[in-house]
């Protein structure tokens, strides 16, 4: 375990996988013709890969052009926070058997638009950190 000067603890890949597997909402960073775009997505982790659904549009076009992506999941409480970042490559699932096996069909999207593209994100690297947050001082009004 490595602790940085600011008290952040680097997480082992196994702990990163455990944390991200418990999540269901993350941010997908994709290279686009204009630079980098970030998209909020619901996801599920299954068989050491991340899966999400997408509607048609720029996200799917950009993934086809350059499948290298970054994906971030985080959580914060009153006393601590953690963040996990995955680097990998994304590919559209094309067979019904692959889609059903991925468990992506069980996702409940926060955006009600149609999402008939199913994507698998293969993990190349996974890193994370956990930090303790300073105690919040509450101003009291009398």
């Amino acid at each position: 375990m490595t602790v940085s000067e600011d008290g952040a603890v680097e997480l082992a890949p196994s702990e990163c996988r455990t944390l991200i597997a418990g999540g269901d909402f993350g941010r997908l960073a994709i290279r686009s013709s204009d630079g980098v775009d970030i998209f909020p997505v619901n996801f599920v982790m299954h068989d050491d890969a991340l899966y999400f659904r997408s509607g048609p549009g720029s996200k799917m076009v950009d993934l086809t052009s350059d499948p290298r992506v970054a994906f971030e999941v985080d959580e914060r409480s009153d006393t601590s926070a953690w963040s996990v970042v995955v680097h990998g490559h994304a590919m559209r699932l094309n067979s019904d058997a692959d889609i059903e096996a991925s468990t992506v069909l069980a996702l409940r999207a926060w955006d009600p638009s149609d999402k008939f593209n199913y994507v698998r994100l293969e993990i190349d690297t996974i890193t994370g950190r956990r930090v303790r947050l300073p105690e919040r001082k509450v101003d009291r009004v009398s």
Side-chain angles (χ1 to χ4, degrees), residues 44-108:
V44 63
M45 187 167 184
H46 180 72
D47 288 342
D48 205 38
L50 302 174
Y51 296 87
F52 61 91
R53 300 180 343 199
S54 177
S58 64
K59 183 184 331 159
M60 293 307 298
V61 170
D62 291 338
L63 283 176
T64 302
S65 174
D66 188 345
R68 295 173 297 160
V69 300
F71 191 82
E72 188 263 350
V73 178
D74 57 33
E75 189 172 295
R76 179 186 171 132
S77 71
D78 287 341
T79 59
S80 67
W82 59 264
S83 176
V84 172
V85 175
V86 168
H87 288 98
H89 57 281
M91 67 188 92
R92 186 176 184 274
L93 300 176
N94 292 312
S95 80
D96 290 343
D98 287 343
I99 292 166
E100 289 176 21
S102 73
T103 70
V104 71
L105 292 173
L107 281 178
R108 192 170 136 199

Side-chain angles (χ1 to χ4, degrees), residues 99-120:
I99 292 166
E100 289 176 21
S102 73
T103 70
V104 71
L105 292 173
L107 281 178
R108 192 170 136 199
W110 61 274
D111 175 0
S113 63
D114 290 334
K115 293 176 176 30
F116 298 116
N117 294 296
Y118 304 94
V119 179
R120 174 184 176 105

